[in-house]
Amino acid sequence: MATPSENSSPDADLGNSLPSLDSQISHADQISYWSSQSADVNGMLGGYPQLSRIDLQGSKNFIAKVRRISRVSSSSPTNTSSSKQDTTSAHGSRSTSGRAPATPIRDANNSKIRLAVDCGAGIGRITSGLLLYVAETVDIVEPVTKFTDVLGQLQTSPDQGRVGEIFNCGLESWSPSAEKSYDLIWIQWCLGHLADKQAVEFLKRAARALAGYDVQNEVEGEAQGWIMVKENLSTDAWGEDIFDDVDSSVTRSDQKFKHLFEEAGLKIVKMEAQSGFPKDLYPVKMYALRPK
Ligand code: SAH
């Protein structure tokens, strides 16, 4: 499953013996599965609505830590070429790609970033519970219109940003226009709906849509945007991915994610396990990524 789900898959061994696990992915099956789910938090979280609060809190803490890294490195001009996992540098932003320079992920006033996008957003659980507090505007990518219809009725509070453009398509066919430059691209519980190759291509496109992409490290203090991925991890004893034919998704191993990020030209600048979920669910991990 692409959402929190039980850590047991009787078919895992069967799936593993197949040459290409994710060749079984069918976007038509995904859409038909998700269209049959209720357009509420229970539907989004596969029957575990109580996990939403813990999940959002974990994500909020993670974003705060990543912002802190950005702040520390942007106030440290000597720290410009680190590739260490938890101490990435803030890259300068003289854009050579025509994209807008990045908004620093955190400034002295802890103000909002400019533009985020919620990928595979469903009804906007993460958008309304987290991203609209972090960003002035949040775009949405979600193939099921029944879910995005809910976003049209979203009531926001004065301290929240606004929902921007809504793209009703799967991530495999989402190609951000050249005018878009995102400070944060949030991808949660939906990357398993893409085959490996599609995931790599999507991550490459996402990287190109980041604010400050392809910049020279000439201007201190401005960070590039971030891609953040939060997904279930496979617990297969042999470290294999697990296919779930209920929602036509693949649950990948930590090793596989790292491989896909590498293929997409991304480096991990911070990663963290989500704590506080029941032990019988798949472990969940967060990765903050940037182009190398
Ligand atoms: N990320 C949201 C929703 C998770 S449920 C949250 O955490 O609350 C998984 C979502 O992925 C569903 O909304 C489903 O419609 C969407 N989805 C299904 N196939 C997809 C695809 N190919 N690309 C992007 N999203 C997809």
Side-chain angles (χ1 to χ4, degrees), residues 170-291:
L171 296 176
E172 68 284 358
S173 47
W174 181 56
S175 205
S177 78
E179 288 85 58
K180 289 285 177 188
S181 76
Y182 292 105
D183 298 306
L184 178 59
I185 298 180
W186 191 268
I187 305 156
Q188 180 168 353
W189 282 325
C190 57
L191 205 53
H193 287 310
L194 269 55
D196 288 355
K197 227 171 135 194
Q198 290 177 320
V200 169
E201 291 308 313
F202 158 66
L203 289 169
K204 284 184 184 168
R205 290 195 299 277
R208 287 198 290 272
L210 281 178
Y213 176 78
D214 200 14
V215 294
Q216 307 294 317
N217 297 339
E218 290 174 358
V219 183
E220 287 163 20
E222 280 184 304
Q224 289 183 314
W226 300 83
I227 295 175
M228 297 198 191
V229 172
K230 184 167 185 177
E231 291 289 343
N232 291 346
L233 294 186
S234 163
T235 49
D236 177 79
W238 302 100
E240 301 286 344
D241 299 344
I242 299 167
F243 182 73
D244 188 332
D245 58 8
V246 174
D247 66 351
S248 192
S249 72
V250 168
T251 303
R252 299 185 165 97
S253 66
D254 181 51
Q255 201 187 1
K256 171 60 83 61
F257 276 115
K258 287 174 178 162
H259 176 71
L260 298 183
F261 300 153
E262 177 76 28
E263 290 276 295
L266 298 169
K267 67 179 175 192
I268 300 171
V269 292
K270 183 160 185 66
M271 53 186 175
E272 192 174 296
Q274 167 69 49
S275 58
F277 279 4
K279 294 275 177 284
D280 55 341
L281 300 185
Y282 284 127
V284 172
K285 194 159 175 179
M286 296 171 271
Y287 306 88
L289 308 163
R290 259 194 185 162

Side-chain angles (χ1 to χ4, degrees), residues 112 116 124 126-140 151 154-164:
K112 284 193 174 66
I126 305 164
T127 289
S128 59
L130 173 65
L131 298 177
L132 287 174
Y133 292 99
V134 173
E136 287 165 10
T137 305
V138 181
D139 284 354
I140 302 290
L151 277 158
L154 193 70
Q155 304 288 326
T156 51
S157 62
D159 56 338
Q160 287 183 302
R162 62 176 194 93
V163 173

Side-chain angles (χ1 to χ4, degrees), residues 3 30 34 120 122 125-126 142 144 147 170-172 188-189 193:
T3 48
Q30 292 163 6
W34 283 106
R125 180 186 68 86
I126 305 164
E142 166 57 49
V144 177
F147 294 157
L171 296 176
E172 68 284 358
Q188 180 168 353
W189 282 325
H193 287 310

Side-chain angles (χ1 to χ4, degrees), residues 59-120:
S59 303
K60 189 177 160 201
N61 294 347
F62 185 67
I63 291 176
K65 286 177 201 167
V66 173
R67 286 172 142 187
R68 227 172 286 136
I69 294 170
S70 175
R71 188 184 50 176
V72 168
S73 50
S74 60
S75 63
S76 163
T78 51
N79 183 16
T80 53
S81 60
S82 168
S83 59
K84 276 192 272 170
Q85 292 247 307
D86 281 354
T87 55
T88 187
S89 63
H91 292 250
S93 63
R94 176 138 325 148
S95 176
T96 56
S97 65
R99 293 206 183 280
T103 315
I105 200 98
R106 177 191 176 121
D107 63 17
N109 305 317
N110 196 19
S111 63
K112 284 193 174 66
I113 58 171
R114 195 181 35 85
L115 182 62
V117 57
D118 189 354
C119 295

